[in-house]
Amino acid sequence: MADWGLHPGQCRQLAACQVDGVWGGAQVTALTGGGYLFIFGTANVAFLGQFYRKRWTIEACFQNLKGRGFALRGTHLQCRGKLKKLVGLVSLAYALCVSVGTWLHEKVQPIKTKNNGYKRASFSRHGLNALRQYTRPGRSTDPAFIASMNAVFRYIICQLTLYQLTKIVG
């Protein structure tokens, strides 16, 4: 790997290689700190990085739904219909948190980054923390924060009106 001369963020794609008897494409990306990210798949090698990013987004979503504030794993419901409604409502709550976190990151205050370059919190965690702060009894009386959250809720109401969501559960 070292003789490829890859710098952090650069990648090299291998169109035809065999791993454990399976032929496919591979992408090797150099990471900061001297490590490498290997992605292997049977899809077109040009799209492997894109597929990996989408899969990782979905994986992070499931991790958040099962734990990390939403605790879907802890349910004791047995009825399939009630479980479907619960998953739907928790998914809507997750989407709301991601939307609020993204909006706050872009419009109010960016999420701070750690020394390794990753954000200190995900968009969903950032939004969840803000919503918890906003709905807490004796909440912050910071006018800028309250104005920001009111703007977020106005945006959500506008979006719901735009898409005319009349039936959410049932």
Side-chain angles (χ1 to χ4, degrees), residues 130-143:
L131 289 170
R132 283 180 173 166
Q133 178 68 24
Y134 184 73
T135 57
R136 180 176 294 147
R139 67 179 186 222
S140 171
T141 56
D142 178 24

Side-chain angles (χ1 to χ4, degrees), residues 45-109:
V45 72
F47 299 113
L48 285 179
Q50 190 176 15
F51 289 150
Y52 181 77
R53 277 188 293 279
K54 288 180 181 178
R55 187 202 70 77
W56 190 252
T57 302
I58 293 167
E59 181 67 29
C61 173
F62 285 139
Q63 287 175 354
N64 284 313
L65 292 178
K66 289 190 288 186
R68 297 187 187 166
F70 295 96
L72 198 57
R73 180 180 285 163
T75 184
H76 298 290
L77 292 177
Q78 300 293 318
C79 176
R80 184 181 196 120
K82 290 180 180 180
L83 274 172
K84 285 169 63 173
K85 289 178 184 179
L86 177 65
V87 170
L89 286 172
V90 171
S91 298
L92 284 172
Y94 175 76
L96 173 67
C97 290
V98 170
S99 297
V100 169
T102 304
W103 186 86
L104 289 171
H105 175 71
E106 292 173 354
K107 304 284 185 186
V108 179
Q109 183 178 8

